[in-house]
Amino acid sequence: MCGNRFSSMDSAPAPAVVPATNNHTASMIFLHGLGDTGHGWCENFATIRQPHIRYIFPHAPHSPVTINGGLKMPSWFDLLSLHPGGPEDEKGILDAAKTVEKMISDEESKGIPSERIILGGFSQGGALALYTSLTQSKKLGGVILLSSWMPLHDQIPSVLKDANKLTPILQCHGTADPLVVFPIGQLTSSRLQELLAGEVTFKHYAGMGHSSCPQEMDDVQKFIAEKLPEFPKT
């Protein structure tokens, strides 16, 4: 079950959370894509969960999205263009990254070191996960990017922090993605290889669109198992 409650602060749904069923020694925070909620990816992870990991699937706030004619929908930040060189919502991305940093701090307050936290996301959520991981000062256990891109890519070299230059990254992309097209995934992978000194793995899936597939989820499962193995808390 992907449980959630309502936040008394703003009456918005709190993240969908799957508690660890064993000794809680690690956490994963996964951010959904535009127009979705955390519940969808909570269900996608149902068959690959590990008992010592607490899984958090936050819900983005509803806000107007420029590329969709200003329609309000769940969105981590505004999307002004899908072109790699197009304008971006810098303030929205920076504000959203601060929100994700607080999620990481919340897990630390439960006794989980940041090195035992994986941050990931799909599409817009993956872009936010990547930006947050590269620009915050706490070392993470890993980063997962599904069908995503590097936001504010021109600024990354000047704001990149040392904390996650060695953090392993799993990037997955479908060759038939019509929205975040495959060349954008390739460019993101190349840029990460240039900027970082750690393990950056780029996996692609023939014929997969802007979605997921069993092979991709198998690769995600293996990555999580390798980067967040179970061990007793000290």
Side-chain angles (χ1 to χ4, degrees):
M1 289 290 292
C2 299
N4 70 284
R5 56 183 177 77
F6 278 82
S7 167
S8 58
M9 181 181 297
D10 55 12
S11 298
V17 175
V18 180
T21 55
N22 251 350
N23 188 25
H24 176 203
T25 63
S27 296
M28 189 197 73
I29 302 167
F30 193 89
L31 310 174
H32 65 75
L34 179 68
D36 199 1
T37 71
H39 291 297
W41 281 98
C42 185
E43 296 300 332
N44 283 354
F45 275 82
T47 60
I48 67 169
R49 295 180 200 138
Q50 300 185 48
H52 62 286
I53 300 176
R54 170 178 148 97
Y55 294 84
I56 303 99
F57 302 91
H59 309 296
H62 280 69
S63 57
V65 177
T66 298
I67 62 168
N68 287 338
L71 185 67
K72 278 193 171 185
M73 61 183 62
S75 181
W76 298 108
F77 50 86
D78 194 9
L79 284 174
L80 308 176
S81 170
L82 288 177
H83 189 275
E88 296 183 84
D89 177 18
E90 179 178 353
K91 182 181 184 302
I93 293 169
L94 297 179
D95 289 346
K98 291 177 183 176
T99 299
V100 178
E101 288 179 31
K102 185 180 183 303
M103 296 176 193
I104 295 169
S105 295
D106 288 345
E107 292 308 296
E108 289 182 299
S109 72
K110 296 175 174 60
I112 304 301
S114 63
E115 296 92 337
R116 295 284 294 164
I117 299 171
I118 282 180
L119 180 60
F122 174 81
S123 192
Q124 187 194 45
L128 176 56
L130 178 59
Y131 184 85
T132 305
S133 69
L134 296 179
T135 60
Q136 56 97 40
S137 57
K138 294 176 180 178
K139 180 171 174 54
L140 298 171
V143 180
I144 297 172
L145 310 176
L146 307 184
S147 304
S148 195
W149 72 94
M150 180 184 290
L152 302 176
H153 59 275
D154 288 338
Q155 299 181 21
I156 292 295
S158 63
V159 297
L160 178 64
K161 299 287 179 63
D162 290 337
N164 288 297
K165 284 185 177 180
L166 294 174
T167 298
I169 294 177
L170 173 65
Q171 182 190 355
C172 303
H173 216 109
T175 62
D177 192 328
L179 297 178
V180 184
V181 294
F182 186 59
I184 292 178
Q186 292 175 304
L187 285 171
T188 298
S189 178
S190 296
R191 192 68 171 137
L192 288 172
Q193 297 281 358
E194 293 170 2
L195 289 170
L196 306 179
E199 168 194 340
V200 178
T201 302
F202 182 47
K203 291 186 175 288
H204 58 275
Y205 308 91
M208 188 178 83
H210 197 62
S211 59
S212 187
C213 68
Q215 183 183 352
E216 180 182 66
M217 294 309 292
D218 285 346
D219 290 332
V220 169
Q221 180 181 28
K222 291 172 185 174
F223 180 81
I224 295 172
E226 180 182 341
K227 307 310 175 188
L228 297 181
E230 183 175 9
F231 65 85
K233 277 187 174 180
T234 58

